[in-house]
Amino acid sequence: MHEFMSWVASPDSIGLNLIIALAMLVVGWAVSDVLGAGVRKAAARSSRIDPTIVPIVRSIVVWTIRGFTLIAVLARFGVQTASIIAVLGAAGLAIGLALQGTLQNIAAGIMLLALRPLRAGEYVSVVGKADGTVEEVGLFLTHFRQSDGIQITLPNSLVWGNPIVNYSRNATRRLDFQVGVRYGDDLDLAVETLRGLIGHHKLALPEPKPQVMVNEYRDSTVMINIRVWAQSSDYWDLNFDLYQSARKALEDVGLHLPIPVREVRTLTSGGQGA
């Protein structure tokens, strides 16, 4: 109590402490920003650092420095930092119990970074929640960018708690593509034409060997399935190109687009069909 009264009674000390405390805050915040930016630059220069972990590492570095800065400022005013840490620990426990969902997001974020089911730059589907390219896995939220440019943000617990389909992790993907041929056309010719198309396509991989096979009969149409492997980065280019080139290749050899046929019967007044 005596120390407190003597501190209050000294306006010069108050002013000096305020100036020093303000300077410490400014320097501490500036240092945290500089080191946070340094973490990002170091990660950008090194190919060995996974960009997925950079946001969380940056946040930890920045807020660790700021936390020590705040404790140092309190110590400057004579506050017992050990007591402050104990109070913060108790408050943290109470807040943690009240914010269990938030803590689940932090835990889920740690698991996402530890097990790596997705990484920044990969195209994934969180089944039932979102599809898009991973931009950032943060401490609480994961950010995705859809193919149409719209950004989607999900809590980490939703990402971790649902099936994740990663379309970019493997180097190659298999494309299954169907083409219809009408009944009466030469199936052998159609199959050989499509095999030639795939065999000379620059985006189709020779291994595993492409397959062209009849696999389904529909009304007025025989379906031929093309099964071919491509680099993951070329998957959609190959898919869209086949929509144009497969149909054109069949037409060039005299095979035409199937036309649905329906048999319509009418009843005459005598009840006989015509």
Side-chain angles (χ1 to χ4, degrees):
M1 183 67 181
H2 175 70
E3 293 178 357
F4 176 76
M5 293 301 295
S6 62
W7 180 77
V8 173
S10 177
D12 292 339
S13 298
I14 296 176
L16 180 61
N17 283 331
L18 285 175
I19 293 174
I20 295 175
L22 181 60
M24 292 172 65
L25 283 174
V26 172
V27 172
W29 249 248
V31 170
S32 68
D33 289 337
V34 170
L35 290 181
V39 169
R40 287 190 179 275
K41 290 180 180 179
R45 287 195 298 266
S46 176
S47 59
R48 297 182 178 180
I49 299 177
D50 190 337
T52 309
I53 68 173
V54 174
I56 286 185
V57 173
R58 178 189 175 278
S59 297
I60 291 174
V61 170
V62 168
W63 287 106
T64 297
I65 295 173
R66 291 178 180 179
F68 280 116
T69 300
L70 292 175
I71 292 175
V73 169
L74 292 174
R76 181 69 193 177
F77 288 102
V79 177
Q80 295 296 323
T81 55
S83 302
I84 292 295
I85 293 174
V87 171
L88 289 176
L93 178 61
I95 294 173
L97 293 174
L99 300 175
Q100 294 183 27
T102 301
L103 293 180
Q104 288 177 358
N105 289 326
I106 295 176
I110 293 173
M111 295 303 294
L112 289 172
L113 291 175
L115 299 181
R116 307 289 182 84
L118 48 79
R119 295 175 182 172
E122 292 182 333
Y123 189 88
V124 304
S125 172
V126 181
V127 178
K129 302 300 178 183
D131 298 344
T133 301
V134 181
E135 289 193 324
E136 179 182 308
V137 179
L139 199 58
F140 303 100
L141 302 170
T142 301
H143 303 279
F144 301 89
R145 185 182 70 256
Q146 290 188 149
S147 56
D148 57 3
I150 296 176
Q151 187 181 66
I152 296 179
T153 302
L154 292 179
N156 288 339
S157 58
L158 285 183
V159 179
W160 177 250
N162 286 280
I164 299 173
V165 181
N166 193 321
Y167 295 100
S168 302
R169 180 62 54 88
N170 295 334
T172 59
R173 287 181 62 184
R174 193 184 77 188
L175 170 65
D176 284 86
F177 185 86
Q178 286 192 319
V179 180
V181 176
R182 66 185 180 183
Y183 287 107
D185 278 350
D186 190 337
L187 280 180
D188 291 335
L189 176 60
V191 169
E192 289 303 319
T193 300
L194 294 174
R195 281 177 180 166
L197 172 67
I198 296 301
H200 294 89
H201 202 292
K202 63 180 181 179
L203 299 182
L205 297 177
E207 293 293 336
K209 186 177 180 180
Q211 295 175 295
V212 180
M213 51 202 160
V214 177
N215 72 330
E216 187 178 355
Y217 297 103
R218 297 180 183 175
D219 294 342
S220 307
T221 308
V222 179
M223 302 305 300
I224 299 178
N225 186 70
I226 300 172
R227 182 171 292 175
V228 59
W229 288 79
Q231 294 290 335
S232 295
S233 57
D234 295 332
Y235 178 87
W236 287 111
D237 289 336
L238 177 59
N239 181 76
F240 295 141
D241 186 71
L242 285 180
Y243 270 102
Q244 177 178 353
S245 58
R247 185 70 260 163
K248 186 175 184 299
L250 293 179
E251 290 178 350
D252 287 344
V253 295
L255 304 175
H256 302 289
L257 185 69
I259 300 175
V261 176
R262 294 289 183 271
E263 181 177 345
V264 179
R265 297 187 178 186
T266 59
L267 295 177
T268 63
S269 58
Q272 299 293 325

